[in-house]
Amino acid sequence: MDSFDVLIIGGSAAGLSSALILGSALDKPFGIGKKVGIITHQKSAALQNAELNNVLGFKKGTKGNEILKNGLIQLSETYPEIIQIAKEKVVKIEGKYPNFIVVTNKNSYQTKNIVVAVGPSNLFNIEGLMQYVIPHKSIPAIKEKIMLKNNNHLVTEGIYVAGVLAGWRSQYAIAAGSGSQVATDILTLWNGGNQTMIHDAIK
């Protein structure tokens, strides 16, 4: 059974942003030897049918499905250490921190920490997380969306939620920022509690 320090569930804006931030720290002293994986399920991502004209840095007409496809390529080319797990859907989470088992429709994985970054559909059905499901607080009730109850992205020890499922509004920039926030929270833990961010600079 593959074992991870962090396993991200979901390959849309929040999940990919979280993976990119974590990947950028794997050559730091506190990140060396850490193993990160992402289950890149994108089928139900809201970005599949989106056009993003109001996101800083994106050209008018940028399509969400292009971002999803290019995001996976960016992650694999920039941080190949991040293990991408495709065409699997999580059905169950067992155990507690730091010994979780994530069960998909095909495999099982051991991990110390989990980042849940899937969409807020009321069809959400991951066994082991259902006790945290509540109606979404920032989306009109008529849309029947859900979120996971959390305190600043932390659902329970070792389990984080990111993006719209964390209770944020459905905007690309907000979801991506939420995923980045979760990643820097994890980096801070890795770095002995010292507040940690990773920046690149032109040399």
Side-chain angles (χ1 to χ4, degrees), residues 5-6 18 22 30 113-115 160 181-191:
D5 290 280
V6 181
S18 188
L22 291 172
F30 55 82
N113 296 280
I114 298 168
V115 178
Y160 301 82
Q181 174 69 45
V182 168
T184 56
D185 287 345
I186 292 170
L187 296 185
T188 296
L189 288 177
W190 287 357
N191 198 20

Side-chain angles (χ1 to χ4, degrees), residues 167-203:
W168 299 107
R169 291 186 177 90
S170 183
Q171 292 280 163
Y172 175 87
I174 296 173
S178 172
S180 299
Q181 174 69 45
V182 168
T184 56
D185 287 345
I186 292 170
L187 296 185
T188 296
L189 288 177
W190 287 357
N191 198 20
N194 297 305
Q195 295 295 333
T196 301
M197 297 155 284
I198 306 294
H199 301 292
D200 295 317
I202 298 172
K203 298 177 180 178

Side-chain angles (χ1 to χ4, degrees), residues 35-46:
K35 188 174 178 182
V36 179
I38 178 170
I39 297 173
T40 58
H41 186 68
Q42 297 179 331
K43 187 175 180 180
S44 60

Side-chain angles (χ1 to χ4, degrees), residues 108-193:
S108 295
Y109 304 95
Q110 188 172 20
T111 185
K112 294 178 181 176
N113 296 280
I114 298 168
V115 178
V116 186
V118 298
S121 169
N122 60 5
L123 299 177
F124 180 94
N125 190 27
I126 298 178
E127 187 179 338
L129 294 179
M130 299 308 295
Q131 67 269 36
Y132 302 111
V133 171
I134 59 174
H136 203 286
K137 295 179 179 179
S138 300
I139 296 178
I142 193 171
K143 293 185 178 289
E144 298 183 332
K145 300 300 183 182
I146 60 97
M147 59 176 282
L148 297 188
K149 189 164 43 176
N150 67 92
N151 181 11
N152 194 25
H153 294 101
L154 188 65
V155 176
T156 188
E157 188 175 18
I159 300 180
Y160 301 82
V161 59
V164 183
L165 192 65
W168 299 107
R169 291 186 177 90
S170 183
Q171 292 280 163
Y172 175 87
I174 296 173
S178 172
S180 299
Q181 174 69 45
V182 168
T184 56
D185 287 345
I186 292 170
L187 296 185
T188 296
L189 288 177
W190 287 357
N191 198 20

